[in-house]
mmCIF file of all heavy atoms in Angstrom:
data_model
loop_
_atom_site.group_PDB
_atom_site.id
_atom_site.type_symbol
_atom_site.label_atom_id
_atom_site.label_comp_id
_atom_site.label_asym_id
_atom_site.label_seq_id
_atom_site.Cartn_x
_atom_site.Cartn_y
_atom_site.Cartn_z
ATOM 1 N N THR L 1 79.520 32.251 -68.999
ATOM 2 C CA THR L 1 78.225 31.996 -68.367
ATOM 3 C C THR L 1 77.397 33.270 -68.280
ATOM 4 O O THR L 1 76.199 33.274 -68.587
ATOM 5 C CB THR L 1 78.433 31.410 -66.957
ATOM 6 O OG1 THR L 1 79.112 30.165 -67.063
ATOM 7 C CG2 THR L 1 77.098 31.194 -66.263
ATOM 8 N N LEU L 2 78.036 34.358 -67.879
ATOM 9 C CA LEU L 2 77.338 35.633 -67.745
ATOM 10 C C LEU L 2 76.836 36.127 -69.102
ATOM 11 O O LEU L 2 75.701 36.619 -69.231
ATOM 12 C CB LEU L 2 78.276 36.659 -67.112
ATOM 13 C CG LEU L 2 77.656 37.941 -66.533
ATOM 14 C CD1 LEU L 2 76.550 37.616 -65.544
ATOM 15 C CD2 LEU L 2 78.738 38.782 -65.856
ATOM 16 N N LYS L 3 77.664 35.993 -70.122
ATOM 17 C CA LYS L 3 77.250 36.437 -71.462
ATOM 18 C C LYS L 3 76.090 35.591 -71.991
ATOM 19 O O LYS L 3 75.171 36.116 -72.627
ATOM 20 C CB LYS L 3 78.440 36.381 -72.428
ATOM 21 C CG LYS L 3 79.472 37.469 -72.170
ATOM 22 C CD LYS L 3 80.460 37.621 -73.308
ATOM 23 C CE LYS L 3 81.452 36.510 -73.377
ATOM 24 N NZ LYS L 3 82.545 36.786 -74.360
ATOM 25 N N ILE L 4 76.139 34.295 -71.718
ATOM 26 C CA ILE L 4 75.055 33.412 -72.150
ATOM 27 C C ILE L 4 73.760 33.775 -71.440
ATOM 28 O O ILE L 4 72.689 33.878 -72.051
ATOM 29 C CB ILE L 4 75.430 31.937 -71.888
ATOM 30 C CG1 ILE L 4 76.542 31.493 -72.843
ATOM 31 C CG2 ILE L 4 74.209 31.026 -72.031
ATOM 32 C CD1 ILE L 4 77.165 30.154 -72.485
ATOM 33 N N ASP L 5 73.857 33.989 -70.127
ATOM 34 C CA ASP L 5 72.657 34.327 -69.352
ATOM 35 C C ASP L 5 72.061 35.666 -69.791
ATOM 36 O O ASP L 5 70.839 35.825 -69.853
ATOM 37 C CB ASP L 5 72.994 34.354 -67.860
ATOM 38 C CG ASP L 5 73.271 32.971 -67.301
ATOM 39 O OD1 ASP L 5 73.025 31.984 -68.025
ATOM 40 O OD2 ASP L 5 73.736 32.870 -66.152
ATOM 41 N N LYS L 6 72.911 36.638 -70.100
ATOM 42 C CA LYS L 6 72.408 37.945 -70.557
ATOM 43 C C LYS L 6 71.721 37.816 -71.911
ATOM 44 O O LYS L 6 70.712 38.482 -72.173
ATOM 45 C CB LYS L 6 73.553 38.955 -70.620
ATOM 46 C CG LYS L 6 74.023 39.430 -69.250
ATOM 47 C CD LYS L 6 75.138 40.455 -69.371
ATOM 48 C CE LYS L 6 75.536 40.987 -67.990
ATOM 49 N NZ LYS L 6 76.641 41.982 -68.071
ATOM 50 N N ARG L 7 72.266 36.971 -72.763
ATOM 51 C CA ARG L 7 71.637 36.763 -74.067
ATOM 52 C C ARG L 7 70.290 36.056 -73.906
ATOM 53 O O ARG L 7 69.321 36.359 -74.603
ATOM 54 C CB ARG L 7 72.568 35.936 -74.963
ATOM 55 C CG ARG L 7 72.067 35.746 -76.389
ATOM 56 C CD ARG L 7 72.016 37.047 -77.148
ATOM 57 N NE ARG L 7 71.459 36.857 -78.481
ATOM 58 C CZ ARG L 7 71.242 37.828 -79.339
ATOM 59 N NH1 ARG L 7 71.533 39.078 -78.998
ATOM 60 N NH2 ARG L 7 70.736 37.586 -80.529
ATOM 61 N N LYS L 8 70.214 35.118 -72.969
ATOM 62 C CA LYS L 8 68.952 34.420 -72.722
ATOM 63 C C LYS L 8 67.918 35.383 -72.148
ATOM 64 O O LYS L 8 66.715 35.244 -72.423
ATOM 65 C CB LYS L 8 69.178 33.231 -71.781
ATOM 66 C CG LYS L 8 69.910 32.077 -72.443
ATOM 67 C CD LYS L 8 69.912 30.831 -71.599
ATOM 68 C CE LYS L 8 70.532 29.658 -72.366
ATOM 69 N NZ LYS L 8 70.468 28.387 -71.645
ATOM 70 N N LEU L 9 68.372 36.338 -71.377
ATOM 71 C CA LEU L 9 67.461 37.367 -70.866
ATOM 72 C C LEU L 9 66.861 38.153 -72.033
ATOM 73 O O LEU L 9 65.655 38.444 -72.046
ATOM 74 C CB LEU L 9 68.215 38.309 -69.925
ATOM 75 C CG LEU L 9 67.455 39.562 -69.464
ATOM 76 C CD1 LEU L 9 66.200 39.178 -68.679
ATOM 77 C CD2 LEU L 9 68.365 40.451 -68.597
ATOM 78 N N GLN L 10 67.683 38.493 -73.011
ATOM 79 C CA GLN L 10 67.191 39.224 -74.183
ATOM 80 C C GLN L 10 66.165 38.410 -74.968
ATOM 81 O O GLN L 10 65.232 38.963 -75.552
ATOM 82 C CB GLN L 10 68.356 39.587 -75.110
ATOM 83 C CG GLN L 10 69.325 40.601 -74.524
ATOM 84 C CD GLN L 10 70.496 40.869 -75.457
ATOM 85 O OE1 GLN L 10 70.493 40.489 -76.630
ATOM 86 N NE2 GLN L 10 71.522 41.529 -74.946
ATOM 87 N N ASN L 11 66.340 37.095 -74.959
ATOM 88 C CA ASN L 11 65.449 36.223 -75.730
ATOM 89 C C ASN L 11 64.235 35.749 -74.949
ATOM 90 O O ASN L 11 63.359 35.083 -75.513
ATOM 91 C CB ASN L 11 66.216 34.995 -76.229
ATOM 92 C CG ASN L 11 67.229 35.333 -77.298
ATOM 93 O OD1 ASN L 11 67.157 36.385 -77.920
ATOM 94 N ND2 ASN L 11 68.184 34.442 -77.517
ATOM 95 N N ALA L 12 64.186 36.070 -73.649
ATOM 96 C CA ALA L 12 63.100 35.574 -72.803
ATOM 97 C C ALA L 12 61.747 36.064 -73.318
ATOM 98 O O ALA L 12 61.586 37.229 -73.691
ATOM 99 C CB ALA L 12 63.316 36.018 -71.368
ATOM 100 N N ALA L 13 60.779 35.144 -73.331
ATOM 101 C CA ALA L 13 59.480 35.463 -73.924
ATOM 102 C C ALA L 13 58.421 35.880 -72.909
ATOM 103 O O ALA L 13 57.448 36.528 -73.256
ATOM 104 C CB ALA L 13 58.979 34.245 -74.712
ATOM 105 N N SER L 14 58.605 35.517 -71.646
ATOM 106 C CA SER L 14 57.574 35.826 -70.646
ATOM 107 C C SER L 14 58.142 36.663 -69.515
ATOM 108 O O SER L 14 59.350 36.690 -69.272
ATOM 109 C CB SER L 14 56.996 34.530 -70.076
ATOM 110 O OG SER L 14 57.979 33.849 -69.317
ATOM 111 N N THR L 15 57.258 37.353 -68.803
ATOM 112 C CA THR L 15 57.670 38.206 -67.688
ATOM 113 C C THR L 15 58.343 37.392 -66.592
ATOM 114 O O THR L 15 59.352 37.808 -66.022
ATOM 115 C CB THR L 15 56.448 38.927 -67.092
ATOM 116 O OG1 THR L 15 55.804 39.687 -68.125
ATOM 117 C CG2 THR L 15 56.864 39.866 -65.970
ATOM 118 N N SER L 16 57.788 36.207 -66.306
ATOM 119 C CA SER L 16 58.374 35.376 -65.248
ATOM 120 C C SER L 16 59.770 34.906 -65.635
ATOM 121 O O SER L 16 60.679 34.823 -64.791
ATOM 122 C CB SER L 16 57.469 34.177 -64.967
ATOM 123 O OG SER L 16 57.360 33.355 -66.113
ATOM 124 N N THR L 17 59.935 34.573 -66.917
ATOM 125 C CA THR L 17 61.255 34.135 -67.387
ATOM 126 C C THR L 17 62.259 35.274 -67.310
ATOM 127 O O THR L 17 63.419 35.073 -66.923
ATOM 128 C CB THR L 17 61.175 33.610 -68.830
ATOM 129 O OG1 THR L 17 60.173 32.605 -68.914
ATOM 130 C CG2 THR L 17 62.505 33.025 -69.266
ATOM 131 N N VAL L 18 61.818 36.483 -67.670
ATOM 132 C CA VAL L 18 62.684 37.657 -67.575
ATOM 133 C C VAL L 18 63.144 37.847 -66.132
ATOM 134 O O VAL L 18 64.327 38.070 -65.859
ATOM 135 C CB VAL L 18 61.945 38.923 -68.068
ATOM 136 C CG1 VAL L 18 62.716 40.186 -67.676
ATOM 137 C CG2 VAL L 18 61.753 38.871 -69.576
ATOM 138 N N SER L 19 62.211 37.747 -65.214
ATOM 139 C CA SER L 19 62.536 37.912 -63.788
ATOM 140 C C SER L 19 63.537 36.853 -63.327
ATOM 141 O O SER L 19 64.482 37.147 -62.583
ATOM 142 C CB SER L 19 61.260 37.815 -62.953
ATOM 143 O OG SER L 19 61.555 37.891 -61.580
ATOM 144 N N THR L 20 63.355 35.617 -63.800
ATOM 145 C CA THR L 20 64.261 34.528 -63.421
ATOM 146 C C THR L 20 65.681 34.798 -63.897
ATOM 147 O O THR L 20 66.646 34.637 -63.145
ATOM 148 C CB THR L 20 63.761 33.197 -64.016
ATOM 149 O OG1 THR L 20 62.475 32.894 -63.471
ATOM 150 C CG2 THR L 20 64.733 32.070 -63.703
ATOM 151 N N TRP L 21 65.803 35.240 -65.161
ATOM 152 C CA TRP L 21 67.139 35.487 -65.709
ATOM 153 C C TRP L 21 67.788 36.716 -65.074
ATOM 154 O O TRP L 21 69.004 36.751 -64.890
ATOM 155 C CB TRP L 21 67.086 35.619 -67.223
ATOM 156 C CG TRP L 21 66.969 34.288 -67.899
ATOM 157 C CD1 TRP L 21 65.951 33.819 -68.649
ATOM 158 C CD2 TRP L 21 67.929 33.223 -67.837
ATOM 159 N NE1 TRP L 21 66.192 32.538 -69.061
ATOM 160 C CE2 TRP L 21 67.403 32.140 -68.587
ATOM 161 C CE3 TRP L 21 69.169 33.072 -67.221
ATOM 162 C CZ2 TRP L 21 68.074 30.936 -68.733
ATOM 163 C CZ3 TRP L 21 69.851 31.861 -67.375
ATOM 164 C CH2 TRP L 21 69.299 30.811 -68.120
ATOM 165 N N GLU L 22 67.002 37.706 -64.705
ATOM 166 C CA GLU L 22 67.564 38.882 -64.017
ATOM 167 C C GLU L 22 68.161 38.479 -62.675
ATOM 168 O O GLU L 22 69.254 38.938 -62.303
ATOM 169 C CB GLU L 22 66.481 39.937 -63.835
ATOM 170 C CG GLU L 22 66.117 40.669 -65.115
ATOM 171 C CD GLU L 22 64.980 41.653 -64.941
ATOM 172 O OE1 GLU L 22 64.223 41.518 -63.937
ATOM 173 O OE2 GLU L 22 64.827 42.551 -65.783
ATOM 174 N N LYS L 23 67.465 37.625 -61.957
ATOM 175 C CA LYS L 23 67.978 37.139 -60.668
ATOM 176 C C LYS L 23 69.232 36.287 -60.869
ATOM 177 O O LYS L 23 70.189 36.374 -60.090
ATOM 178 C CB LYS L 23 66.902 36.330 -59.948
ATOM 179 C CG LYS L 23 65.721 37.163 -59.455
ATOM 180 C CD LYS L 23 64.650 36.278 -58.832
ATOM 181 C CE LYS L 23 63.452 37.107 -58.383
ATOM 182 N NZ LYS L 23 62.351 36.248 -57.843
ATOM 183 N N THR L 24 69.191 35.462 -61.912
ATOM 184 C CA THR L 24 70.341 34.600 -62.201
ATOM 185 C C THR L 24 71.582 35.428 -62.508
ATOM 186 O O THR L 24 72.677 35.143 -62.022
ATOM 187 C CB THR L 24 70.028 33.672 -63.392
ATOM 188 O OG1 THR L 24 68.940 32.821 -63.043
ATOM 189 C CG2 THR L 24 71.242 32.821 -63.753
ATOM 190 N N ILE L 25 71.411 36.468 -63.325
ATOM 191 C CA ILE L 25 72.536 37.323 -63.710
ATOM 192 C C ILE L 25 73.101 38.053 -62.498
ATOM 193 O O ILE L 25 74.331 38.158 -62.333
ATOM 194 C CB ILE L 25 72.089 38.318 -64.801
ATOM 195 C CG1 ILE L 25 71.840 37.562 -66.109
ATOM 196 C CG2 ILE L 25 73.131 39.408 -65.004
ATOM 197 C CD1 ILE L 25 71.114 38.366 -67.157
ATOM 198 N N LYS L 26 72.233 38.539 -61.641
ATOM 199 C CA LYS L 26 72.688 39.218 -60.424
ATOM 200 C C LYS L 26 73.498 38.263 -59.557
ATOM 201 O O LYS L 26 74.547 38.617 -59.004
ATOM 202 C CB LYS L 26 71.482 39.756 -59.643
ATOM 203 C CG LYS L 26 71.866 40.570 -58.406
ATOM 204 C CD LYS L 26 70.630 41.125 -57.714
ATOM 205 C CE LYS L 26 71.035 41.942 -56.482
ATOM 206 N NZ LYS L 26 69.837 42.496 -55.782
ATOM 207 N N ASN L 27 73.005 37.029 -59.460
ATOM 208 C CA ASN L 27 73.721 36.011 -58.686
ATOM 209 C C ASN L 27 75.055 35.670 -59.335
ATOM 210 O O ASN L 27 76.071 35.488 -58.649
ATOM 211 C CB ASN L 27 72.859 34.753 -58.574
ATOM 212 C CG ASN L 27 73.482 33.708 -57.663
ATOM 213 O OD1 ASN L 27 73.807 33.982 -56.528
ATOM 214 N ND2 ASN L 27 73.640 32.502 -58.191
ATOM 215 N N ASP L 28 75.069 35.595 -60.672
ATOM 216 C CA ASP L 28 76.314 35.336 -61.418
ATOM 217 C C ASP L 28 77.375 36.363 -61.039
ATOM 218 O O ASP L 28 78.532 36.022 -60.753
ATOM 219 C CB ASP L 28 76.075 35.426 -62.929
ATOM 220 C CG ASP L 28 75.305 34.235 -63.483
ATOM 221 O OD1 ASP L 28 75.156 33.234 -62.761
ATOM 222 O OD2 ASP L 28 74.856 34.317 -64.640
ATOM 223 N N GLU L 29 76.985 37.623 -61.077
ATOM 224 C CA GLU L 29 77.936 38.716 -60.843
ATOM 225 C C GLU L 29 78.475 38.692 -59.415
ATOM 226 O O GLU L 29 79.657 38.959 -59.180
ATOM 227 C CB GLU L 29 77.273 40.056 -61.152
ATOM 228 C CG GLU L 29 76.969 40.234 -62.629
ATOM 229 C CD GLU L 29 76.227 41.516 -62.944
ATOM 230 O OE1 GLU L 29 75.529 42.023 -62.047
ATOM 231 O OE2 GLU L 29 76.349 42.002 -64.083
ATOM 232 N N GLN L 30 77.599 38.360 -58.466
ATOM 233 C CA GLN L 30 78.046 38.277 -57.075
ATOM 234 C C GLN L 30 79.028 37.117 -56.882
ATOM 235 O O GLN L 30 80.039 37.253 -56.198
ATOM 236 C CB GLN L 30 76.840 38.117 -56.147
ATOM 237 C CG GLN L 30 75.968 39.369 -56.052
ATOM 238 C CD GLN L 30 74.716 39.150 -55.222
ATOM 239 O OE1 GLN L 30 74.290 38.011 -55.001
ATOM 240 N NE2 GLN L 30 74.117 40.238 -54.761
ATOM 241 N N GLN L 31 78.696 35.981 -57.497
ATOM 242 C CA GLN L 31 79.571 34.820 -57.386
ATOM 243 C C GLN L 31 80.929 35.073 -58.038
ATOM 244 O O GLN L 31 81.962 34.623 -57.540
ATOM 245 C CB GLN L 31 78.932 33.615 -58.068
ATOM 246 C CG GLN L 31 77.790 32.978 -57.321
ATOM 247 C CD GLN L 31 77.404 31.684 -57.984
ATOM 248 O OE1 GLN L 31 78.180 30.738 -58.007
ATOM 249 N NE2 GLN L 31 76.220 31.637 -58.546
ATOM 250 N N LEU L 32 80.895 35.793 -59.147
ATOM 251 C CA LEU L 32 82.108 35.989 -59.928
ATOM 252 C C LEU L 32 83.185 36.702 -59.122
ATOM 253 O O LEU L 32 84.357 36.317 -59.152
ATOM 254 C CB LEU L 32 81.773 36.776 -61.192
ATOM 255 C CG LEU L 32 82.629 36.482 -62.419
ATOM 256 C CD1 LEU L 32 81.859 36.786 -63.688
ATOM 257 C CD2 LEU L 32 83.905 37.282 -62.406
ATOM 258 N N GLY L 33 82.789 37.740 -58.380
ATOM 259 C CA GLY L 33 83.763 38.477 -57.579
ATOM 260 C C GLY L 33 84.413 37.595 -56.525
ATOM 261 O O GLY L 33 85.639 37.610 -56.352
ATOM 262 N N ALA L 34 83.592 36.809 -55.818
ATOM 263 C CA ALA L 34 84.120 35.924 -54.785
ATOM 264 C C ALA L 34 84.999 34.835 -55.388
ATOM 265 O O ALA L 34 86.066 34.504 -54.855
ATOM 266 C CB ALA L 34 82.967 35.295 -54.001
ATOM 267 N N ALA L 35 84.553 34.281 -56.517
ATOM 268 C CA ALA L 35 85.301 33.195 -57.159
ATOM 269 C C ALA L 35 86.651 33.679 -57.674
ATOM 270 O O ALA L 35 87.665 32.985 -57.558
ATOM 271 C CB ALA L 35 84.479 32.599 -58.297
ATOM 272 N N LEU L 36 86.677 34.887 -58.244
ATOM 273 C CA LEU L 36 87.941 35.422 -58.752
ATOM 274 C C LEU L 36 88.913 35.674 -57.603
ATOM 275 O O LEU L 36 90.114 35.398 -57.720
ATOM 276 C CB LEU L 36 87.694 36.720 -59.526
ATOM 277 C CG LEU L 36 88.924 37.319 -60.217
ATOM 278 C CD1 LEU L 36 89.466 36.364 -61.276
ATOM 279 C CD2 LEU L 36 88.584 38.666 -60.859
ATOM 280 N N ASN L 37 88.400 36.171 -56.502
ATOM 281 C CA ASN L 37 89.260 36.395 -55.346
ATOM 282 C C ASN L 37 89.812 35.078 -54.803
ATOM 283 O O ASN L 37 90.974 34.999 -54.384
ATOM 284 C CB ASN L 37 88.486 37.121 -54.239
ATOM 285 C CG ASN L 37 89.377 37.559 -53.098
ATOM 286 O OD1 ASN L 37 90.282 38.375 -53.253
ATOM 287 N ND2 ASN L 37 89.148 36.985 -51.924
ATOM 288 N N ASN L 38 88.986 34.030 -54.834
ATOM 289 C CA ASN L 38 89.451 32.707 -54.401
ATOM 290 C C ASN L 38 90.592 32.215 -55.285
ATOM 291 O O ASN L 38 91.564 31.615 -54.793
ATOM 292 C CB ASN L 38 88.301 31.700 -54.433
ATOM 293 C CG ASN L 38 87.293 31.937 -53.328
ATOM 294 O OD1 ASN L 38 87.589 32.605 -52.336
ATOM 295 N ND2 ASN L 38 86.089 31.409 -53.492
ATOM 296 N N GLN L 39 90.481 32.455 -56.586
ATOM 297 C CA GLN L 39 91.546 32.050 -57.504
ATOM 298 C C GLN L 39 92.831 32.818 -57.213
ATOM 299 O O GLN L 39 93.933 32.265 -57.290
ATOM 300 C CB GLN L 39 91.114 32.297 -58.955
ATOM 301 C CG GLN L 39 89.958 31.434 -59.425
ATOM 302 C CD GLN L 39 90.321 29.967 -59.569
ATOM 303 O OE1 GLN L 39 91.471 29.576 -59.382
ATOM 304 N NE2 GLN L 39 89.348 29.141 -59.868
ATOM 305 N N TYR L 40 92.684 34.086 -56.881
ATOM 306 C CA TYR L 40 93.855 34.900 -56.557
ATOM 307 C C TYR L 40 94.523 34.387 -55.279
ATOM 308 O O TYR L 40 95.758 34.294 -55.203
ATOM 309 C CB TYR L 40 93.436 36.356 -56.390
ATOM 310 C CG TYR L 40 94.577 37.286 -56.024
ATOM 311 C CD1 TYR L 40 95.621 37.525 -56.908
ATOM 312 C CD2 TYR L 40 94.606 37.929 -54.780
ATOM 313 C CE1 TYR L 40 96.667 38.379 -56.581
ATOM 314 C CE2 TYR L 40 95.644 38.782 -54.445
ATOM 315 C CZ TYR L 40 96.670 38.996 -55.349
ATOM 316 O OH TYR L 40 97.702 39.847 -55.017
ATOM 317 N N GLN L 41 93.717 34.046 -54.278
ATOM 318 C CA GLN L 41 94.262 33.501 -53.031
ATOM 319 C C GLN L 41 94.980 32.180 -53.296
ATOM 320 O O GLN L 41 96.002 31.881 -52.662
ATOM 321 C CB GLN L 41 93.140 33.303 -51.999
ATOM 322 C CG GLN L 41 92.514 34.593 -51.509
ATOM 323 C CD GLN L 41 93.524 35.551 -50.892
ATOM 324 O OE1 GLN L 41 94.404 35.137 -50.131
ATOM 325 N NE2 GLN L 41 93.405 36.834 -51.210
ATOM 326 N N ALA L 42 94.458 31.403 -54.234
ATOM 327 C CA ALA L 42 95.111 30.136 -54.598
ATOM 328 C C ALA L 42 96.492 30.401 -55.193
ATOM 329 O O ALA L 42 97.443 29.635 -54.954
ATOM 330 C CB ALA L 42 94.244 29.366 -55.594
ATOM 331 N N VAL L 43 96.619 31.486 -55.967
ATOM 332 C CA VAL L 43 97.923 31.860 -56.523
ATOM 333 C C VAL L 43 98.888 32.222 -55.393
ATOM 334 O O VAL L 43 100.051 31.774 -55.387
ATOM 335 C CB VAL L 43 97.778 33.054 -57.502
ATOM 336 C CG1 VAL L 43 99.156 33.573 -57.914
ATOM 337 C CG2 VAL L 43 96.989 32.630 -58.737
ATOM 338 N N LEU L 44 98.420 33.026 -54.444
ATOM 339 C CA LEU L 44 99.282 33.437 -53.330
ATOM 340 C C LEU L 44 99.711 32.231 -52.487
ATOM 341 O O LEU L 44 100.869 32.154 -52.038
ATOM 342 C CB LEU L 44 98.559 34.461 -52.444
ATOM 343 C CG LEU L 44 98.178 35.785 -53.130
ATOM 344 C CD1 LEU L 44 97.521 36.727 -52.114
ATOM 345 C CD2 LEU L 44 99.401 36.453 -53.760
ATOM 346 N N GLN L 45 98.797 31.303 -52.279
ATOM 347 C CA GLN L 45 99.132 30.090 -51.520
ATOM 348 C C GLN L 45 100.160 29.247 -52.271
ATOM 349 O O GLN L 45 101.089 28.692 -51.659
ATOM 350 C CB GLN L 45 97.861 29.281 -51.250
ATOM 351 C CG GLN L 45 96.919 29.942 -50.257
ATOM 352 C CD GLN L 45 95.567 29.258 -50.184
ATOM 353 O OE1 GLN L 45 95.374 28.168 -50.740
ATOM 354 N NE2 GLN L 45 94.610 29.887 -49.522
#
């Protein structure tokens, strides 16, 4: 998902679209850390 979103950022044609994808990517990265930790906790459980 992150790689796809970064590629879409590169292909974005307008300033507003660029801004949207930058926010999306930042959100992706924040979610990823929490989600990975949740998976690890599931292993421990």
Side-chain angles (χ1 to χ4, degrees):
T1 298
L2 196 53
K3 288 194 287 189
I4 290 169
D5 290 350
K6 287 181 176 179
R7 185 66 183 177
K8 288 190 174 185
L9 171 61
Q10 293 177 12
N11 290 342
S14 67
T15 303
S16 63
T17 306
V18 167
S19 176
T20 298
W21 282 116
E22 286 176 341
K23 291 176 182 177
T24 297
I25 290 167
K26 184 177 180 180
N27 186 54
D28 287 348
E29 292 176 334
Q30 290 175 341
Q31 286 189 65
L32 211 154
L36 185 63
N37 188 63
N38 288 341
Q39 294 291 356
Y40 179 66
Q41 293 303 317
V43 172
L44 298 182
Q45 290 170 10

